[in-house]
Amino acid sequence: MFVCSCFGVTEEQVRSHAEAGACTPRQIASACKAGTDCGGCVRRIQALLGRGACSRRRLADQGERPLAAEAPAEVPEAA
């Protein structure tokens, strides 16, 4: 089924990009342009990503770190 009619992007393509690491509509847009023309598909993309299409999001939902052993950047304290 098509998600983005403007660029002919299917649900399968969105899921494929999500499995490759795109976990937000903006990252999906960068990968395949879906959501960058009329914007009518953005909610559908959000719904697909919210249903576990993104493997990194699944890890985060399970309480695991989605990125391999990277420590969060420390913010310097204000003087």
Side-chain angles (χ1 to χ4, degrees), residues 11-24 27-28 31 45 48-49 52-58:
E11 285 184 13
E12 180 72 25
Q13 289 172 301
V14 170
R15 286 187 184 106
S16 176
H17 290 300
E19 286 297 323
C23 290
T24 65
Q27 291 171 338
I28 295 293
I45 292 168
L48 287 169
L49 295 174
C54 178
S55 59
R56 291 189 326 183
R57 177 160 293 174
R58 269 195 306 268

Side-chain angles (χ1 to χ4, degrees), residues 18-53:
E19 286 297 323
C23 290
T24 65
R26 184 171 290 183
Q27 291 171 338
I28 295 293
S30 293
C32 62
K33 294 187 179 181
T36 61
D37 195 23
C38 77
C41 59
V42 174
R43 286 185 182 228
R44 180 72 182 136
I45 292 168
Q46 289 172 327
L48 287 169
L49 295 174
R51 290 188 187 137

